[in-house]
Amino acid sequence: MTTGTTPVWTDEVAEATAPIYEKLADQYQESHWRALAPYIFEINRLKKEKNAIILAHNYMTPDIFHGVADIVGDSLALARKASKTDADIICQATVLFMAETSKILCPDKIILQPDMDAGCSLADSITPEDVRALRKQYPGLPIIAYVNTSAEVKAEVDVCCTSSNAIQIVNAMDTDEVVMLPDMYLAKYAAEHTSKTVHSWKGSCIVHERFTAADMKKFRADYEGAKILAHPECPPEVLHEADYAGSTAQMIDYVEKHKPARVVLVTECSMSDNVAAEHPDIELVRPCQLCPHMKRITLPKILKSLQTMTHEVHVDPEVSARARKPIERMLELSA
């Protein structure tokens, strides 16, 4: 079935992947699918052989999201589910900080990251030294770290949050003021929905910061009746023009609950593709902004990762023990 490490198309592959292609036929031409399907087949075979699972973020391409992923969701869902899996190996179809989070929550499991250069502009925007400086600048205030941070940064904070639970976590703090890092736009979003003062850092997401209020007005003009859903990492003027603001999981929940005939998802482009595959009756307008970091994860890299058991993610035990506390506190507060 394979030539070297490159899988090839066979009747067995065609039969096994046919149900997946039925869902994705609108997004992949048959010739392209014939190149992808052998990887999907071989990855799924290796997962069973090695007792491995694949965690995939909502921003993965449809071939990964619908073809090989066992657990999908936003960063909060992935963190929750990673801690409960019985698999021996977790292969991450995510960026690196999410793989670190899985290792922190599952220290005895093998965590594989197919591309160690799949980073995050938010995680890169702040260091542990920056957090320690914030402690001095705002003595006594709880520091909330978005999960889009390194393990070393998480080890310096009091609690983590995601875009799903940021407001909930802020409100759970027993002070009138908090520090939230590193996303300045998520901090502004949380501040608008709480009575607390939220001090922020200066980080931003290279995907969501590109959207503008003018984009939102153009969507309204070009797509009559469309519901516009925006991610809280977008600038405030974008969120003010949207019909709804929420995390990727919350946007998906909105679509499934309200079933708008036409919807614009103001976030990373692949999520629209994945939602469209699940809801062919809904018109998904794709305001295409791609995350270059998420797009570093591909089927060939996932297959190589499982074949060679690379790249294994390690977190310093002392850092891991300290970082685990704010993650677990987040999970407790948002249960």
Side-chain angles (χ1 to χ4, degrees):
M1 187 190 68
T2 60
T3 303
T5 58
T6 303
V8 297
W9 177 266
T10 66
D11 290 342
E12 184 182 16
V13 169
E15 182 179 358
T17 60
I20 304 169
Y21 186 53
E22 184 178 355
K23 179 179 287 188
L24 302 180
D26 288 343
Q27 302 188 39
Y28 296 98
Q29 294 183 351
E30 186 175 356
S31 58
H32 190 188
W33 183 251
R34 281 173 170 262
L36 296 173
Y39 284 95
I40 292 172
F41 180 86
E42 185 65 7
I43 289 167
N44 287 333
R45 185 193 68 78
L46 268 180
K47 286 190 304 179
K48 293 178 182 178
E49 179 184 299
K50 297 191 173 190
N51 190 28
I53 62 167
I54 294 176
L55 265 62
H57 189 267
N58 289 327
Y59 294 159
M60 285 295 108
T61 52
D63 54 330
I64 294 172
F65 189 90
H66 294 285
V68 299
D70 300 286
I71 296 174
V72 298
D74 62 4
S75 51
L76 177 60
L78 295 181
R80 281 175 170 159
K81 293 173 183 177
S83 64
K84 298 177 181 179
T85 180
D86 293 327
D88 297 319
I89 301 165
I90 299 175
C91 185
Q92 299 274 155
T94 67
V95 290
L96 182 57
F97 77 80
M98 297 182 189
E100 288 183 338
T101 301
S102 291
K103 186 62 180 178
I104 291 165
L105 293 172
C106 311
D108 297 329
K109 296 187 184 297
I110 296 172
I111 310 298
L112 300 177
Q113 177 66 17
D115 190 323
M116 294 297 281
D117 291 326
C120 172
S121 60
L122 282 166
D124 291 342
S125 73
I126 192 163
T127 67
E129 293 75 20
D130 294 326
V131 181
R132 289 192 284 271
L134 286 169
R135 286 250 184 240
K136 293 179 180 178
Q137 184 178 355
Y138 300 104
L141 296 189
I143 297 181
I144 304 168
Y146 198 17
V147 290
N148 299 41
T149 47
S150 68
E152 290 77 11
V153 165
K154 290 182 177 73
E156 297 290 336
V157 307
D158 299 296
V159 62
C160 289
C161 77
T162 71
S163 52
S164 290
N165 62 22
I167 297 168
Q168 185 178 3
I169 297 299
V170 168
N171 285 331
M173 300 297 100
D174 58 1
T175 56
D176 293 330
E177 301 180 43
V178 301
V179 178
M180 179 178 283
L181 55 87
D183 192 318
M184 60 181 172
Y185 295 132
L186 182 65
K188 289 179 180 179
Y189 168 76
E192 287 189 0
H193 293 82
T194 179
S195 60
K196 296 179 185 291
T197 299
V198 181
H199 303 281
S200 65
W201 186 244
K202 55 184 180 293
S204 61
C205 168
I206 59 173
V207 172
H208 295 102
E209 70 179 358
R210 298 175 193 158
F211 292 109
T212 66
D215 291 333
M216 303 301 106
K217 290 181 171 66
K218 191 171 190 308
F219 293 144
R220 292 235 185 257
D222 292 348
Y223 302 99
E224 184 179 356
K227 291 294 184 183
I228 300 178
L229 316 184
H231 195 281
E233 290 176 15
C234 293
E237 59 270 21
V238 171
L239 300 184
H240 295 162
E241 293 288 339
D243 296 300
Y244 177 80
S247 70
T248 58
Q250 289 167 337
M251 284 192 272
I252 292 170
D253 289 344
Y254 182 100
V255 171
E256 293 178 345
K257 179 180 179 181
H258 297 282
K259 298 190 182 304
R262 175 182 279 176
V263 64
V264 183
L265 299 183
V266 184
T267 188
E268 212 275 350
C269 192
S270 288
M271 185 170 129
S272 295
D273 295 333
N274 292 324
V275 174
E278 293 287 357
H279 300 280
D281 55 323
I282 296 175
E283 180 185 352
L284 268 294
V285 178
R286 292 164 171 80
C288 212
Q289 297 284 7
L290 294 174
C291 174
H293 301 293
M294 289 284 186
K295 294 301 169 281
R296 295 187 71 92
I297 307 300
T298 63
L299 287 173
K301 288 180 182 179
I302 292 171
L303 177 57
K304 183 178 179 181
S305 182
L306 288 170
Q307 288 173 330
T308 62
M309 299 298 288
T310 54
H311 305 274
E312 186 172 354
V313 175
H314 298 282
V315 179
D316 178 88
E318 189 271 337
V319 170
S320 181
R322 291 167 55 210
R324 186 182 181 104
K325 292 178 181 178
I327 297 171
E328 289 185 334
R329 189 178 182 197
M330 171 189 73
L331 295 175
E332 291 168 3
L333 291 174
S334 58

